[in-house]
């Protein structure tokens, strides 16, 4: 496993196993982790399975999707010789530090989180009961990040508010109890940081959407990818123009193409005289981008012992990195650390 060297930057990021990983997950985070982050920093990448418990869930599905997510991270190209890949619930320090973060945060801060408001409203609209853990989820996310002395957190635009809270909590804790945590910063990809739903281009493409027609999954068969992209909503008009506010559907396709094949969305718009031609090129670009990932996933899924070994070693290293800092935080607030 990779180890920190001197003042080498440390990166932490994670993915929730609340659904099958999507094109948005891949372009917004995973590809950057593979191509850039694992090579330039001491990087930890985590399947944050505890976060999947904030809403009603099927335990068997959480286990299955956690396994699939970890396997896909490796299939995408994360190398356990370069970075640390692990599952959150296998490292106790996340939960230990989460309670200290709850004791540092305020009720008002939690209730101002946009994702809490949106998810709570969706649960209530279905007649469900909102779990307390949905409200306190940002405290656990802060613990995920701060436990490792993280310098940078590669996040999508929808997580920027949670990262800002983690920064505030680190500063507040340090001011109250003494210097304990590194104050992390967010890093955002330049293009396709937030891939939108192909059928509802004003909404983010999500893993757990009830309607899947507008969501492209990493493990979708090529024909399924083509069908979804070719049926994408492209607003009124047949011409192609990069106007995110006026024509979000076309803009989303241009941003996806730019992220897949390289280029600038504005410049790419000038190369097409119809949305149909644009959709065909986007579909093929996505299919080809995912082809090696799907093939490698099939190989790894057939070798579960290897994946288990990677995750076990990753959890051991993560625990070794987190425990000293979490113990120090316990001592700072007046508690006896675990020995």
């Amino acid at each position: 496993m990779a180890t920190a060297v001197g003042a080498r930057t440390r990166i932490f990021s994670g993915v929730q196993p609340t659904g099958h990983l999507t094109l948005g997950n891949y372009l917004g985070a995973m590809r950057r982790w593979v191509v850039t982050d694992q090579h330039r920093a001491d990087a930890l990448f985590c399947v944050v399975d505890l976060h999947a418990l904030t809403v009603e869930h099927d335990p068997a599905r959480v286990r299955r999707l956690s396994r699939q997510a970890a396997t896909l991270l490796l299939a995408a190209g994360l190398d356990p010789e370069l970075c640390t890949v692990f599952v959150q619930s296998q490292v106790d320090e996340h939960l230990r530090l989460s309670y200290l973060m709850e004791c540092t945060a305020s009720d008002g801060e939690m209730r101002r989180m946009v994702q809490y408001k949106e998810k709570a409203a969706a649960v209530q609209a279905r007649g469900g009961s909102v779990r307390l853990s949905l409200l306190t989820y940002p405290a656990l996310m802060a613990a995920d990040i701060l436990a490792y002395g993280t310098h940078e957190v590669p996040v999508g635009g929808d997580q920027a508010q949670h990262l800002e809270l983690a920064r505030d909590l680190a500063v507040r804790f340090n001011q109250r109890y003494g210097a304990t945590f590194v104050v992390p910063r967010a890093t955002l990809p330049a293009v396709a940081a937030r891939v939108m739903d192909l059928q509802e281009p004003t909404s983010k493409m999500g893993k757990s959407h009830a309607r899947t027609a507008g969501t492209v999954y990493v493990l979708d068969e090529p024909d399924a990818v083509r069908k979804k992209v070719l049926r994408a909503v492209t607003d009124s008009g047949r011409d192609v123009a990069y106007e995110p506010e006026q024509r979000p559907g076309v803009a989303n396709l241009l941003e996806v193409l730019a992220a897949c094949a390289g280029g600038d969305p504005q410049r790419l718009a000038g190369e097409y005289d119809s949305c149909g031609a644009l959709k065909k090129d986007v579909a093929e670009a996505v299919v080809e981008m995912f082809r090696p990932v799907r093939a490698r996933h099939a190989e790894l899924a057939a070798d579960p012992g290897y994946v288990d070994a990677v995750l076990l070693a990753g959890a051991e290293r993560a625990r070794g990195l987190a425990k000293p800092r979490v113990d120090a935080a316990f001592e700072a607030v007046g508690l006896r650390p675990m020995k």
Side-chain angles (χ1 to χ4, degrees), residues 11-22:
I11 288 174
F12 176 92
S13 198
V15 61
Q16 289 192 43
T18 50
H20 300 287
L21 297 183
T22 71

Side-chain angles (χ1 to χ4, degrees), residues 125-193:
R126 296 193 300 268
S129 176
V130 179
R131 299 186 179 191
L132 178 61
S133 56
L134 187 62
L135 177 65
T136 60
Y137 150 79
L140 177 56
M141 180 176 172
D144 297 338
I145 296 165
L146 300 181
Y148 296 100
T150 302
H151 301 100
E152 295 183 8
V153 185
V155 295
D158 60 315
Q159 291 293 338
Q161 188 184 32
H162 288 162
L163 191 279
E164 193 58 37
L165 177 64
R167 288 171 51 83
D168 291 343
L169 296 182
V171 170
R172 188 177 306 153
F173 191 99
N174 290 345
Q175 290 174 340
R176 288 179 179 174
Y177 307 113
T180 306
F181 298 115
V182 174
V183 180
R185 59 185 179 274
T187 56
L188 301 172
V191 178

